[in-house]
Amino acid sequence: MKPGLDAFYQFLAQPLRPWSRVALGLLIVPLLLTFTQPLWRISMIAPQYPTGLSLDIYTHKVEGGRQGADVNEINTLNHYIGMAHIDRAALSDLDWLPFAFGALIILTLRAAAIGNVSSLVDLTVIGIYFSLFSLGRFGYRLWVMGHNLDPRAPVTLPGFMPPVFGTKQIANFTVTSLPRLATGFATLFIAGLVVLLAWHLVTGRREALRRAAAM
């Protein structure tokens, strides 16, 4: 058991291969694009809004369709059902996202420049955790907004869960929530890390088996 663990720790201490470092450097590009592209879009269609209303969520702002006019329209509708206004303050849970993406960029640069296989493992685990936590936190915030309704509102609705992913009927509105470009870029980054890590693990295992056979 101990020789196997020693071999594994030795493998983790090995420096990353040159092409892996180049790949890590290239994976920084989609991370940088997350600062300029929307993470998520929520759109609403109803008989009185045949062209629909839309809301794009960025890491640093919330932007409505029709040059921002949709935000005011959605907030007017929310007032009638007692739902909190949607603005950057309401989604303050997302304030940490730019810092998290920045930290991932720094850790990726570190792994590419001076890292070893262990740093790639750490980066992959942190990236996956960050992705799952972000999605879960976003879903929780939507749940709170859909269930924390003002009972004094002109229109009474039971608590509801806005869709995190997909389409859902809420009253007379068809609400669709889907990831946008920035989320796709972040997914590309995580997928690239997983592929790199899997390749290192497979090749490391093969090298360990060849060394064991030669002994």
Side-chain angles (χ1 to χ4, degrees):
M1 183 67 178
K2 191 175 185 301
L5 286 176
D6 290 340
F8 179 69
Y9 291 138
Q10 290 175 5
F11 166 68
L12 291 179
Q14 291 178 1
L16 293 173
R17 294 173 175 84
W19 74 265
S20 296
R21 295 186 176 188
V22 172
L24 283 172
L26 293 176
L27 284 176
I28 293 174
V29 175
L31 273 187
L32 291 172
L33 292 174
T34 61
F35 290 94
T36 63
Q37 302 298 321
L39 288 166
W40 222 266
R41 167 170 287 184
I42 299 176
S43 58
M44 304 165 58
I45 297 177
Q48 64 269 43
Y49 297 101
T51 59
L53 303 170
S54 65
L55 191 70
D56 284 330
I57 300 173
Y58 292 74
T59 59
H60 58 286
K61 65 178 179 178
V62 176
E63 188 174 88
R66 297 183 301 151
Q67 299 181 337
D70 284 358
V71 175
N72 294 330
E73 197 68 34
I74 291 172
N75 282 329
T76 299
L77 294 170
N78 287 346
H79 169 74
Y80 284 108
I81 65 172
M83 191 173 180
H85 278 209
I86 296 177
D87 53 22
R88 198 66 186 87
L91 296 174
S92 59
D93 281 2
L94 303 179
D95 287 345
W96 57 273
L97 285 177
F99 299 98
F101 281 120
L104 285 177
I105 290 173
I106 293 172
L107 290 174
T108 303
L109 284 173
R110 176 181 176 275
I114 59 174
N116 49 22
V117 176
S118 178
S119 68
L120 179 58
V121 172
D122 294 340
L123 180 60
T124 304
V125 171
I126 292 172
I128 293 174
Y129 169 77
F130 164 68
S131 300
L132 294 177
F133 179 82
S134 301
L135 184 61
R137 193 65 185 174
F138 177 56
Y140 171 74
R141 176 52 58 185
L142 289 178
W143 185 91
V144 169
M145 295 181 71
H147 286 79
N148 190 25
L149 302 177
D150 188 345
R152 299 167 297 178
V155 179
T156 302
L157 284 180
F160 61 91
M161 175 63 184
V164 176
F165 185 90
T167 300
K168 187 175 184 179
Q169 190 71 28
I170 300 175
N172 64 328
F173 280 88
T174 301
V175 182
T176 301
S177 177
L178 292 172
R180 298 289 285 169
L181 287 175
T183 301
F185 293 142
T187 302
L188 176 63
F189 170 77
I190 298 300
L193 291 181
V194 171
V195 170
L196 277 176
L197 179 58
W199 189 86
H200 274 283
L201 291 175
V202 170
T203 55
R205 177 62 177 170
R206 287 176 180 172
E207 290 175 3
L209 290 175
R210 281 199 297 268
R211 288 196 298 268
M215 293 176 61

